[in-house]
């Protein structure tokens, strides 16, 4: 892995699957895991094995199936969780245990009724125990986003001492501002003893709509792994959307950060996850929403038809969408109508277009969107139809 490579840790099957009503069965998980490997993710978090026999089985089966990607199982800092995860991962070619504990003042007081020294000890012991089963151990400091940086640095040091090679810094509640999250990563990079032995990972929730921005700030400030999910699904307002962070890095090459993702598979896997889970992606969702490459106002359509990049910063083919859509509505102009008419077989002169456009506007005022069948009807009922077809 080069210094500029950002590892993509996909947690669709663990954090993503925590969405209420979106439970997947083992078969569905296997299909998604296979496509994640095909997409080029570096790590697949396959589940939380101790949580249920079904999750255990899914992690076990995914471990058997996946050949080139790290397969990871989540645990709490609890011996039995770790033993069960190690067992579920026993067939994995590249197994990883992801263990950790809450570190914010609120988690320590209300969740554990404990104190900082005891948390430091548990972090160390959990990692050390996980390390007795697998070489690759990732530690998470839950609610790191609201954890005091000095204490967080001490927690990270204990995890490194125990043998962790990845330190996950979750903004569990999606609270941080990008500048704050970036500064946290920078602080850890500069102040944790032994940090050169580990990589820092971003795991940002989207409660304030900042998950993507926070993850990007994280890698700009030295993190080298992003935890994310397809379509940004996850607890509450969701997790960081994989397709967003990957495309941000791809479209900003001067950041000099890259991933191993084959972006042309992004649209297909987004569809697969949304259909398997029964969660429909909002039309204006960045990168993979139905309208992400659709243009409907006259000014934009004219611009895109003349030169795609006028209004598009991503080539739709780069994410597996065949082409930009020119959507015909009452806000569309002549250029869009001529373009769509041409697609369905009519080459209109300027005068013919002026005439057909009047028909089109009357029609479009009655309907949300004008489709190919409507275009035929509009042209066939126009005064210039005979002229058009005899040309
Ligand atoms: O959001 C979070 O803190 C998590 C951890 C369990 C990694 O999902
Ligand atoms: Zn999470």
């Amino acid at each position: 892995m080069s210094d500029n490579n950002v590892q993509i840790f996909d947690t669709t099957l663990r954090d993503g699957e925590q969405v209420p009503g979106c439970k997947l069965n083992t078969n569905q998980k296997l299909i998604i895991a296979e496509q994640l490997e095909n997409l080029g993710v570096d790590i697949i978090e396959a589940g939380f094995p101790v949580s249920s026999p079904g999750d255990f089985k899914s992690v076990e089966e995914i471990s058997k199936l996946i050949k080139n990607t790290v397969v990871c199982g989540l645990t709490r800092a609890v011996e039995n969780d770790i033993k069960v995860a190690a067992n579920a991962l026993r067939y994995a070619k590249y197994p990883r245990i992801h263990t950790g504990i809450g570190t914010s003042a609120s988690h320590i007081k209300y969740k554990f009724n404990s104190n900082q020294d005891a948390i430091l000890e548990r972090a160390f012991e959990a990692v050390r125990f996980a390390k007795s089963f697998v070489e690759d151990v990732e530690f998470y400091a839950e609610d790191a986003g609201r954890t005091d940086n000095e204490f967080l640095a001490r927690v990270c040091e204990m995890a490194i001492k125990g043998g962790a090679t990845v330190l996950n810094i979750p903004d569990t509640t999606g609270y941080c501002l990008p500048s704050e999250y970036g500064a946290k990563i920078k602080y850890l990079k500069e102040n944790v003893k032994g940090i050169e032995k580990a990589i820092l990972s971003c795991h940002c929730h989207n409660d304030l709509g900042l998950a993507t921005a926070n993850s990007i700030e994280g890698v700009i400030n030295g993190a080298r792994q992003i935890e994310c999910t397809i379509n940004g699904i996850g607890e509450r307002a969701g997790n960081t959307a994989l397709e967003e962070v990957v495309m941000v890095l791809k479209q900003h090459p001067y950041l000099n950060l890259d991933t191993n993702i084959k972006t042309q598979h992004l649209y297909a896997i987004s569809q697969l996850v949304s259909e398997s889970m029964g969660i429909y992606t909002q039309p204006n969702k960045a990168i993979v929403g139905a309208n992400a490459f659709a243009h409907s106002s006259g000014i934009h359509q004219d611009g895109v038809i003349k030169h795609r990049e006028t209004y598009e910063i991503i080539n739709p083919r780069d994410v597996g969408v065949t082409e930009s859509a020119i959507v015909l509505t009452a806000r569309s102009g002549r250029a869009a109508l001529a373009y769509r008419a041409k697609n369905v077989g009519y080459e209109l002169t300027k005068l013919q277009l002026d005439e057909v456009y009047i028909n089109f506007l009357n029609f479009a005022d009655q309907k949300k969107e004008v489709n190919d069948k409507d275009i035929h009807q509009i042209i066939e009922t126009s005064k210039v139809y005979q002229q058009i077809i005899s040309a």
Side-chain angles (χ1 to χ4, degrees), residues 11 14-15 18 170 172 203 205 235 239:
T11 183
R14 197 281 295 169
D15 210 317
Q18 289 172 211
T172 305
H203 178 116
H205 279 268
E235 284 275 352
N239 206 299

Side-chain angles (χ1 to χ4, degrees), residues 1 22 34-35 43 56 73 86 146 149 171 180 199 208 213 225 232 245 287-288 292 294 296 306 333 358 370 377 388:
M1 190 181 82
C22 291
E34 202 169 25
Q35 291 314 312
I43 302 105
F56 180 92
R146 293 187 299 172
N149 285 350
D171 183 21
E180 217 178 324
I199 69 167
L208 291 170
Q225 177 175 286
V245 286
I287 320 294
V288 291
S296 90
K306 285 180 175 143
I358 299 169
V370 176
Q377 193 190 326
I388 295 170

Side-chain angles (χ1 to χ4, degrees), residues 212-241:
T212 295
N214 284 347
S215 300
I216 297 296
E217 271 303 306
V219 292
I220 287 174
N221 282 283
R224 283 296 175 268
Q225 177 175 286
I226 296 180
E227 311 201 357
C228 46
T229 61
I230 302 295
N231 300 335
I233 56 167
E235 284 275 352
R236 307 179 310 280
N239 206 299
T240 304

